[in-house]
Amino acid sequence: MNSSSNDRGRVPAVRIAGVGLGMLGAVGGVAGWFTLAGGADPTPSSLSQTGGTAVAGASSIGHAAGPAHTRTGGS
Amino acid sequence: MVATARWDAVGTWCEVLTVEDDDLATAADVARAQTAGLDRACFVGSDSELGALAKGSPQLVSPLLAGGVAAALRTADFSGGLVGPGDGWQRVRLDTERCLLMVPEGVELDVCHSARAWLADRIADFCAEELGIGCLVNLGGNIAVRGAVPPGGWQVEIDDAEPGPEGRPVIPMDWSGGLATSSSVLGNWRTVTAAARSCEHAFAASHTAIGLGDGAPRWLTQRELPARLVHADGVVVHTNGWPRQRWIA
């Protein structure tokens, strides 16, 4: 990637459109592979921007509180 | 009450968390024995069981090596070869019941990453099913949860490598299954974190997705895999059923 840190705030419209169309195209896919029983986001799929304006269906705030017990990623 | 033990093994950090303090020592002993066994099987280079394995004919191997290789082959098959344990993996032959492994001449197997995820499931399964201990097992970010969870679920921070101003997302993990994150410096996606019915499946899904580029959200959604994908541009995509999340600094 050649983008500077300032460029991270700008989301190319074509990129968002491409990802959005990809999710629309997923309708009718293979069912029943794995579904979380509880605490799941009610929005089927969503798209947002880190640290900026929500594009569509931004993530919601849950009820849990306190510090994290553990982490994934960044290892 | 949540109790935690942490140590280094299998080329990374390992954690065992239990809901009850009294269960921690037992669960940690199980995990230490298993991770030490996997270290001997495939994590100490040419001195490991895998490194010293004679090639070209079936060899009797330890159950841990057989299990780790089996996981790597399943992941390769699931990903259509995108996440393989090395060139020529299709010609590897494994009899898991008899622990017989045949690695062809010229084939170098690397099963470390898949084996970690599989072992997290194995440890958590044993603790929950054989010992009745609800636990979270985390081997370098590959997380398996089985049995009882704390009120509100295990709180798992998703390390996106470059957190936004709101901090890092935390999700409650209250299901028996797995969670894994794959990251990339040069790919379309910075990180992909996937949830699945097992840690092995979550590992396979996240690593496959990160290799698929812009087709990843569709691929994950078609398989009804909840996931959080962070694009190199900063766009965040949640696929079907990703848990509600909060933020910590």
Side-chain angles (χ1 to χ4, degrees), chain A residues 71-75, chain B residues 13 140 159-161 181 183 191:
Chain A
R71 68 180 171 90
T72 181
S75 57
Chain B
W13 47 274
D159 189 342
D160 285 336
T181 297
S183 58
T191 61

Side-chain angles (χ1 to χ4, degrees), chain B residues 48-124:
Chain B
S48 70
E49 185 182 2
L50 181 60
L53 190 74
K55 294 179 179 175
S57 61
Q59 303 291 317
L60 185 63
V61 299
S62 68
L64 280 174
L65 180 54
V69 171
L73 296 177
R74 284 193 297 268
T75 297
D77 187 54
F78 174 77
S79 68
L82 204 58
V83 187
D87 292 339
W89 65 269
Q90 298 94 333
R91 294 188 287 126
V92 172
R93 295 292 175 264
L94 175 66
D95 181 337
T96 51
E97 288 191 5
R98 294 191 293 169
C99 290
L100 287 173
L101 173 64
M102 193 285 290
V103 179
E105 296 282 358
V107 172
E108 297 296 331
L109 276 186
D110 180 359
V111 303
C112 297
H113 299 288
S114 300
R116 276 189 201 125
W118 165 77
L119 192 69
D121 284 324
R122 177 181 165 101
I123 294 167

Side-chain angles (χ1 to χ4, degrees), chain B residues 15-61:
Chain B
E15 283 182 345
V16 170
L17 290 75
T18 57
V19 179
E20 303 294 338
D21 284 351
D22 292 346
D23 290 334
L24 180 63
T26 303
D29 283 349
V30 170
R32 283 195 176 91
Q34 292 288 306
T35 53
L38 193 65
D39 262 334
R40 290 190 295 272
C42 57
F43 274 94
V44 285
S46 58
D47 292 335
S48 70
E49 185 182 2
L50 181 60
L53 190 74
K55 294 179 179 175
S57 61
Q59 303 291 317
L60 185 63
V61 299

Side-chain angles (χ1 to χ4, degrees), chain A residues 8 11 15 22 30 32-34 36 39 41-42 44-48 50-51 59-60 64 66 69-72 75, chain B residues 15 138 141 155 157 159 181 196-197 201 214 222-225 231-238 240 242-246:
Chain A
R8 287 200 180 282
V11 184
R15 177 76 71 191
V30 180
W33 203 80
F34 178 73
L36 298 182
D41 192 322
S45 292
S46 62
L47 198 65
S48 61
T50 53
S59 55
S60 50
H69 293 126
T70 190
R71 68 180 171 90
T72 181
S75 57
Chain B
E15 283 182 345
N138 188 348
Q155 303 299 305
E157 174 187 336
D159 189 342
T181 297
R197 60 189 174 186
H201 281 92
D214 282 347
Q222 285 178 328
R223 286 154 183 80
E224 295 192 348
L225 284 164
H231 198 273
D233 290 335
V235 174
V236 178
V237 175
H238 291 169
N240 199 13
W242 180 251
R244 293 175 185 274
Q245 59 190 25
R246 61 188 174 90

